[in-house]
Amino acid sequence: MRREVAGSGKKLWRQKGTGRARSGSVRSPLWRHGGTVHGPVPRDYSYKLPRKMLLGALRSALSAKLRDGELRVVSAFSLADHKTKSVAGVLEALHAVKTALLVDFDENRNLMLGARNLEGVQDGGAQRRDHYDLLRHEKVL
């Protein structure tokens, strides 16, 4: 496009009397380093899925995790301290070895602080979870 090319907007020489062809801009598509006629324009082709479809995907992911035995319900994560070692011990006792998603409804601070340094473990509230998080992790606690 002409507007995307660097160059002045000044008319290069006067319209008549020079013996040269008339020209108006150095950005003309006919000139070297000029603009492109009807060239591709960068567009955003992203698409936002409907909310009902996202909720259906979340429901489907949860039922698949339950069917495969990868969903565990823990009544309470009562940790004495916020050490990573204690959270790793709890996860190992629950057989969540590789990757785990901790969905905490109570916003347990000790759990959040202890789990944030573990590789493959993601912690957060239930409102911030989506179907991608469920499918990305092996266990959901």
Side-chain angles (χ1 to χ4, degrees):
M1 307 246 17
R2 288 174 79 139
R3 68 175 174 258
E4 295 172 350
V5 180
S8 172
K10 182 182 183 300
K11 188 167 172 60
L12 297 170
W13 50 79
R14 61 180 200 250
Q15 184 86 352
K16 292 178 170 286
T18 62
R20 299 192 66 180
R22 54 193 179 176
S23 69
S25 172
V26 77
R27 306 179 208 180
S28 170
L30 304 175
W31 282 45
R32 185 167 180 258
H33 303 297
T36 305
V37 181
H38 305 298
V41 178
R43 293 194 180 109
D44 182 17
Y45 290 101
S46 62
Y47 174 72
K48 186 175 179 185
L49 285 172
R51 187 170 181 270
K52 285 187 178 182
M53 192 178 288
L54 288 175
L55 290 176
L58 183 65
R59 222 174 300 131
S60 174
L62 275 173
S63 62
K65 288 287 182 187
L66 184 64
R67 182 181 60 240
D68 296 340
E70 296 175 352
L71 180 70
R72 301 262 174 103
V73 178
V74 180
S75 60
F77 276 109
S78 56
L79 298 171
D81 54 1
H82 58 275
K83 302 286 184 183
T84 303
K85 188 174 184 178
S86 60
V87 175
V90 168
L91 291 177
E92 195 167 324
L94 292 170
H95 303 292
V97 181
K98 290 184 181 176
T99 60
L101 176 66
L102 304 175
V103 181
D104 188 19
F105 292 100
D106 298 331
E107 298 291 328
N108 188 350
R109 183 158 169 77
N110 284 343
L111 178 66
M112 183 185 69
L113 291 175
R116 69 182 177 183
N117 202 26
L118 288 172
E119 187 177 350
V121 176
Q122 188 175 1
D123 178 39
Q127 284 75 25
R128 295 189 296 263
R129 298 294 136 231
D130 60 353
H131 54 283
Y132 291 121
D133 290 332
L134 288 176
L135 297 175
R136 193 179 309 130
H137 296 88
E138 186 179 329
K139 298 280 185 189
V140 178
L141 304 171

